[in-house]
Structures are given as C-alpha cells and as structure tokens.
Amino acid sequence: AKKATLAKQVSTKFDAQTFSPKVQMMEMYLRRAIEREEFEQFLVYYQPIVDIHSGQIIGAESLLRWQHPELGMVTPTELIPLAESTGLILPISDWVLNKVCKQIKNWHNQGFTDLRVAVNVSGNQLKQPNFSQKIIHLLLANNLVPDSLVLELTENIIMPDINQAISTMNEIHSFGVKIAIDDFGAGYSSLIYLKQLPIHTLKIDRYFIQCIANDSQKAVITTALIQMAHNLNLHIVAEGVETEQELAFLRQHKCDAIQGFFFSHPLPAREFEKILFANKRL
Ligand code: C2E
Ligand code: CA
Ligand code: CA
Ligand code: CA
C-alpha cells in the first residue's frame, strides 16, 4: 500500500497539496461520504445580497460547507479544489442544486416570491454536455420560476472553451435562468466577450472592494466597472463589502447591490429566513 501511495505521488506533479496528509485524508473521507451518499455532512449556507438603494434583501448566494465528524468544518477553499481534481464535484454540485431549488420553492411558498438565489458553477459542471438540460429539468421538477435561479460563472471557467460555454449559457438563458459573472476583474477578463455573453449580473471581485475608499486605483477601476456595467445594461453587485466606508463609496458611485460581512455573513437557511421575516435592511 505504501508503494502504491509513493508511486502515485511520484506520478503527480510535485505540489504541496498532494503530499499533505490532511488533503489525502480529506480525499478519502470525501469519497466515502459521496459513495455512501452521506449528504447530511454537507450544508448550504446563504449570504444575503442587498439592494443598495432600497436597502432590501433581493437574493442570496448559496455557499457550500462540509461538516465532517472528524475533520470538523471544511471550508470551500479547501473542499472545492479537491472535489474538482477528483471529479467528486459533480455529485456534490447536483446535490447543491437540488437542495437550493427546494429551498427557493420553500421561501417562495412563504411569500418571498421575488427572492433570487445564486449557485456557484464549477468548470467541470459547465463542461457537461447535458448541463443546461439538467438545470431545466430541475426547475421544472420543482415548479420554479426560472428567473429565481442565478448561476454564477467565473471568466476562468468560461474562457477555456468559450464557444461551448456560450452555447450552454444561451440555452440556460433562453429558458429564463439568470447568469452572473463571478469574481469579475480577478480572472482573465476578455471584455470583448462581455457583450456576446447572455449575462444579467456582474459581481465585482472582493479584491477591488477591500479598502476602496483609501485606494485610488481600486476606486478608479471600480467606478469604471460600474459605469461599464450600466452602459451594457447589466446589474452590478459588489462582493466582500465589510465596512461602512466601502458601502458609502459604492452607494455614491451607484453600484446596484452589495454582499458582504457588513450586512451579513453566510447563514444557515433557518437563520437566513429569520432575517427575511424580520425584514432586515441595510
Ligand atoms: P465566491 O463564489 O467568490 O464566494 C464568496 C466568498 O466570499 C465566500 O467564501 C464568502 O463567505 C466570502 N465572503 C462573503 N462576504 C465576505 C466579506 O465581507 N469578507 C470576506 N473576507 N469574505 C467574504 P466561501 O463560502 O469560503 O467560498 C469560497 C469559494 O468557494 C467561493 O467563492 C466559490 O468559488 C467556492 N464555492 C462555495 N460554494 C460552492 C459551491 O456550492 N459550488 C462551487 N462550485 N463552488 C463553491
Ligand atoms: Ca460566487
Ligand atoms: Ca465571488
Ligand atoms: Ca472567488
């Protein structure tokens, strides 16, 4: 067994992740959890997205958590790359999508009919030939208004196979599902494509928002991004808003919506529901 492990290590690129016993342990537990369908170890948290002008919650982003009996809480920054490299991202993502659709229906039934929930899409998912069909089936099966679901795609997953990505995005878009470009500005941007992609929202990466009021470069870029989005008729959301100053800047420059610890951390569904009922506002 030791020999096999060593061979595996040698055959893989030298990278610290492969050698880390913690990562290997995580991989084993992850496989086991998926094989045994122990999805109760996974949790979906919801972080509010708030309209800057009305101050109201307009939606949420769903964020995966893995609560393992031995490993404790594993964050997505550890979990997602591992899940992607092992292919386990597909069953996990299916579970997330299904869970989120059920949750949207539940909130709509409770009267929050305008609420939109975003799901992060990984490169492996977008590459699936039946991805758009899957999404459409899921919405039909849950009897959901298509535009209550938003798919968040980064440029990094769109660009490697832009033609295939555009055709999948067009299918999803023509059914009525909204598409957001996530981490905008952080990836390898190709502004020329922006106009050709069937997108509804741009999410400005947290990097630009952090300390924006004291950083003239970030301020200039963000102001330009907001203008550009509006000229292209896109909705623009700032990610990672943590302070009053950041909010003030974004408000002054007419950003549409914000998401970040300033308003709320990601919350379990029940907690998110509480702030909906309490009508918590910015
Ligand atoms: P992301 O899509 O950019 O998600 C936003 C991340 O920023 C979340 O981290 C969120 O907790 C964090 N965040 C929100 N507001 C603030 C803030 O004010 N300050 C700071 N410092 N951070 C803030 P999280 O939940 O750890 O997720 C990390 C990444 O993992 C996500 O980045 C996304 O790329 C990926 N991810 C999470 N859930 C899923 C999923 O279900 N599927 C896929 N494929 N990827 C996921
Ligand atoms: Ca996201
Ligand atoms: Ca993001
Ligand atoms: Ca990110």
Side-chain angles (χ1 to χ4, degrees):
K2 226 178 189 164
K3 234 185 195 166
T5 316
L6 197 63
K8 194 179 155 208
Q9 285 178 358
V10 170
S11 70
T12 333
K13 262 189 299 180
F14 185 91
D15 87 45
Q17 279 233 316
T18 317
F19 285 91
S20 151
K22 191 188 171 196
V23 171
Q24 292 191 347
M25 185 84 92
M26 268 174 43
E27 179 175 343
M28 184 192 77
Y29 283 134
L30 192 58
R31 272 185 206 290
R32 191 176 290 173
I34 307 287
E35 272 163 18
R36 299 183 184 170
E37 299 186 31
E38 290 168 344
F39 285 107
E40 63 282 355
Q41 294 177 8
F42 297 96
L43 303 167
V44 178
Y45 276 38
Y46 295 88
Q47 187 176 34
I49 299 175
V50 192
D51 183 282
I52 283 198
H53 308 292
S54 73
Q56 281 191 315
I57 297 174
I58 51 175
E61 176 178 1
S62 62
L63 293 158
L64 184 62
R65 300 286 179 265
W66 183 24
Q67 178 70 71
H68 188 268
E70 260 117 273
L71 299 168
M73 189 72 109
V74 180
T75 70
T77 17
E78 297 177 281
L79 171 60
I80 301 294
L82 179 65
E84 279 176 336
S85 67
T86 53
L88 294 168
I89 191 73
L90 292 179
I92 299 175
S93 302
D94 285 346
W95 177 83
V96 170
L97 274 166
N98 196 41
K99 183 96 179 167
V100 169
C101 286
K102 297 232 149 29
Q103 188 60 70
I104 299 174
K105 189 72 203 171
N106 179 294
W107 285 331
H108 282 196
N109 286 342
Q110 296 190 61
F112 303 102
T113 49
D114 293 333
L115 201 70
R116 266 191 189 139
V117 182
V119 174
N120 290 288
V121 175
S122 84
N124 292 303
Q125 276 177 288
L126 191 65
K127 273 189 248 157
Q128 294 176 105
N130 64 347
F131 183 61
S132 50
Q133 282 308 311
K134 234 182 204 178
I135 298 293
I136 293 168
H137 277 283
L138 203 56
L139 289 163
L140 292 172
N142 286 284
N143 192 21
L144 274 181
V145 197
D147 81 353
S148 55
L149 181 68
V150 181
L151 297 181
E152 294 194 1
L153 277 58
T154 63
E155 296 158 288
N156 295 353
I157 73 163
I158 295 171
M159 293 307 162
D161 193 349
I162 178 87
N163 293 324
Q164 148 93 55
I166 291 180
S167 95
T168 304
M169 288 165 78
N170 280 333
E171 284 164 22
I172 291 168
H173 167 80
S174 59
F175 190 70
V177 175
K178 302 279 184 237
I179 299 174
I181 301 294
D182 199 2
D183 300 349
F184 190 70
Y188 75 94
S189 290
S190 199
L191 295 179
I192 196 79
Y193 281 109
L194 218 50
K195 189 90 187 117
Q196 296 175 33
L197 299 173
I199 53 181
H200 176 265
T201 298
L202 288 184
K203 298 188 79 176
I204 313 173
D205 192 77
R206 178 159 68 84
Y207 168 82
F208 297 102
I209 306 307
Q210 207 170 38
C211 304
I212 191 163
N214 312 310
D215 184 321
S216 55
Q217 282 194 345
K218 289 181 182 179
V220 167
I221 293 169
T222 302
T223 308
L225 289 180
I226 295 171
Q227 285 234 332
M228 182 190 67
H230 288 158
N231 290 337
L232 294 171
N233 274 319
L234 299 172
H235 189 245
I236 186 149
V237 180
E239 298 193 279
V241 177
E242 293 183 354
T243 68
E244 184 79 61
Q245 288 79 2
E246 291 161 0
L247 171 63
F249 181 95
L250 293 161
R251 190 175 259 147
Q252 192 194 337
H253 291 87
K254 306 263 187 295
C255 188
D256 300 315
I258 62 150
Q259 180 182 346
F261 297 166
F262 179 75
F263 185 78
S264 171
H265 279 254
L267 303 169
R270 292 282 159 274
E271 298 294 314
F272 181 78
E273 216 169 279
K274 278 187 200 155
I275 68 171
L276 278 182
F277 276 110
N279 196 19
K280 178 177 169 165
R281 283 156 168 273
L282 202 53

